[in-house]
Amino acid sequence: MKLAPDVEFHEDIRLLIYRPHGVIDEQAIKKVISVLEDLEARLREPFNRFSDTLGADEVELNFKYVIQVSLCRRLSYAGHPPVKSAILATDSTIIHYGRLHAVLTQGSPINVRVFKDRQETAEWLNVPIERLMARS
């Protein structure tokens, strides 16, 4: 499967990495969810997710869309094994939407947490911090 330039999948550590650049809007979210759902359908083992939003310049989303996406993800992933979804963010809007996503997926197999520190993120995901660094 050909992944978009802002998406990586590390099979050895079972981790999908999304590094959006520029604007995070509905189109960007739809694109990464499409990749995510395709991988979920093709792979037999669960995998964690890491969104490194530090390269994003702007957020053009709204509450209604974030709620819709969160509830759709919660429903579409019901009955699957537990996974962790870490969001690395320093932008207040991204942090706010990430926390909303975490609340809306609470009680589902998708455990979402928002981090401001890459080391804490790596520890929570149980992966070496080097694997969370952007490639040059």
Side-chain angles (χ1 to χ4, degrees):
M1 172 181 183
K2 177 87 170 111
L3 299 176
D6 55 358
V7 178
E8 304 167 19
F9 184 71
H10 299 264
E11 192 165 348
D12 61 325
I13 57 173
R14 311 293 306 161
L15 184 67
L16 175 76
I17 299 178
Y18 173 51
R19 297 183 202 284
H21 292 280
V23 178
I24 299 176
D25 57 11
E26 290 184 20
Q27 182 180 354
I29 299 300
K30 286 177 186 174
K31 181 177 70 172
V32 74
I33 289 175
S34 175
V35 170
L36 175 63
E37 289 176 343
D38 185 55
L39 284 169
E40 287 172 347
R42 290 186 324 113
L43 301 175
R44 299 194 190 283
E45 298 291 321
F47 56 90
N48 292 326
R49 303 97 205 274
F50 171 57
S51 298
D52 181 350
T53 68
L54 301 185
D57 300 322
E58 190 177 345
V59 180
E60 291 182 5
L61 298 171
N62 60 53
F63 285 107
K64 181 180 178 183
Y65 184 73
V66 173
I67 291 168
Q68 177 186 355
V69 166
S70 298
L71 295 177
C72 284
R73 288 298 305 143
R74 180 186 177 108
L75 289 172
S76 68
Y77 200 71
H80 287 80
V83 293
K84 294 179 179 179
S85 182
I87 301 169
L88 179 63
T90 55
D91 177 88
S92 62
T93 302
I94 297 172
I95 290 169
H96 192 70
Y97 285 146
R99 288 179 179 159
L100 176 61
H101 180 55
V103 167
L104 293 170
T105 54
Q106 233 172 14
S108 80
I110 305 170
N111 184 1
V112 178
R113 285 191 50 191
V114 180
F115 297 88
K116 292 183 182 180
D117 180 79
R118 193 176 303 271
Q119 181 63 46
E120 288 178 27
T121 309
E123 290 170 10
W124 187 68
L125 289 170
N126 197 29
V127 298
I129 190 170
E130 297 80 20
R131 300 300 293 271
L132 301 186
M133 305 298 280
R135 295 180 186 160
S136 305

